[in-house]
Amino acid sequence: DVKVTQSSRYLVKRTGEKVFLECVQDMDHENMFWYRQDPGLGLRLIYFSYDVKMKEKGDIPEGYSVSREKKERFSLILESASTNQTSMYLCASRGLAGTYTQYFGPGTRLTVL
Amino acid sequence: GNSVTQMEGPVTLSEEAFLTINCTYTATGYPSLFWYVQYPGEGLQLLLKATKADDKGSNKGFEATYRKETTSFHLEKGSVQVSDSAVYFCALTSLNRDDKIIFGKGTRLHILP
């Protein structure tokens, strides 16, 4: 089975801190994604990557950056956390064969105080 | 561009009732279609999928048929259980390498005992 893991299930940070959210997948998938999920807004794509060292902005990239130095790992960085970045963050990966099913990690609930 | 529209919730049903959650899409070409489910406090899990017209995806008693003529992929279950209470997301993806996956906003389902 495909496994996508995220470094933390719950995280509490203070305004202005630099925050790293890590995501690792074990299926040699090319594509990886970061979403945030907020009540009433569904999933919103922050950034995605279709190869090592490649990144593309999603729908809401402001205030975030990403890093993909290795194929299996995709990191989301909040350079200076703000309270409006309190949210559930979901990572996903997808291969380029078959039906392109996207597999999700368990999510990180981030609270910025 | 591609888009997914699903019925807004919350949907509240009694146990053993029949469930339909509507999903329609707009897409060029022949996308793959998915239903994902998110149980409380967890990430998204793939529930079922269909890759071409008239395909029926099924899992855990849920099913959905890819209807190209009506551009729909409605989720149905004949007899729901309390354990089906969750948020359900309809999604589509094309088979282009760099294309994003498009999600609907999600439908929250409450099943009453």
Side-chain angles (χ1 to χ4, degrees):
Chain A
D1 280 353
V2 175
K3 191 162 187 184
V4 180
T5 56
Q6 295 184 229
S7 50
S8 305
R9 291 299 303 271
Y10 300 94
L11 208 52
V12 180
K13 296 291 182 181
R14 298 213 172 269
T15 301
E17 281 193 78
K18 190 168 185 177
V19 182
F20 292 87
L21 302 182
E22 304 285 341
C23 176
V24 177
Q25 51 94 4
D26 67 356
M27 279 300 293
D28 200 36
H29 282 170
E30 288 79 5
N31 293 172
M32 296 188 75
F33 305 81
W34 274 107
Y35 298 88
R36 64 177 283 176
Q37 184 180 19
D38 301 288
L41 298 177
L43 277 78
R44 292 183 290 168
L45 182 64
I46 304 172
Y47 267 97
F48 65 105
S49 167
Y50 54 82
D51 207 344
V52 176
K53 299 192 185 292
M54 305 300 287
K55 59 184 179 184
E56 293 287 336
K57 292 180 179 179
D59 301 318
I60 52 163
E62 296 78 19
Y64 303 94
S65 62
V66 290
S67 172
R68 192 155 181 214
E69 295 297 317
K70 293 184 178 181
K71 192 174 185 180
E72 67 271 19
R73 188 180 298 271
F74 191 37
S75 303
L76 180 70
I77 304 156
L78 287 67
E79 295 290 343
S80 178
S82 63
T83 55
N84 63 12
Q85 292 179 310
T86 291
S87 187
M88 169 73 93
Y89 290 87
L90 295 168
C91 174
S93 74
R94 181 179 76 171
L96 293 182
T99 60
Y100 286 32
T101 300
Q102 196 168 67
Y103 296 90
F104 283 82
T108 296
R109 185 165 292 283
L110 172 67
T111 301
V112 182
L113 302 175
Chain B
N2 295 346
S3 67
V4 174
T5 302
Q6 63 182 104
M7 64 189 288
E8 293 194 18
V11 174
T12 302
L13 296 172
S14 297
E15 204 165 24
E16 300 183 3
F18 184 87
L19 168 71
T20 300
I21 300 178
N22 290 337
C23 172
T24 57
Y25 68 90
T26 303
T28 54
Y30 300 91
S32 291
L33 301 174
F34 306 85
W35 277 100
Y36 284 84
V37 58
Q38 185 179 33
Y39 297 105
E42 298 184 13
L44 274 69
Q45 302 174 24
L46 178 66
L47 180 60
L48 55 83
K49 62 188 177 189
T51 59
K52 60 183 187 296
D54 300 325
D55 263 5
K56 179 184 284 189
S58 61
N59 186 25
K60 299 181 180 180
F62 291 89
E63 58 183 35
T65 301
Y66 189 141
R67 301 282 189 204
K68 189 160 178 63
E69 64 276 14
T70 55
T71 62
S72 65
F73 193 55
H74 304 321
L75 183 68
E76 296 181 335
K77 187 175 185 181
S79 177
V80 292
Q81 306 300 313
V82 172
S83 58
D84 294 327
S85 298
V87 181
Y88 292 81
F89 293 88
C90 185
L92 70 81
T93 183
S94 71
L95 299 184
N96 295 323
R97 177 182 185 269
D98 302 334
D99 274 7
K100 298 178 289 188
I101 290 183
I102 307 298
F103 285 89
K105 289 193 180 297
T107 302
R108 183 173 296 277
L109 176 65
H110 294 290
I111 306 300
L112 303 175

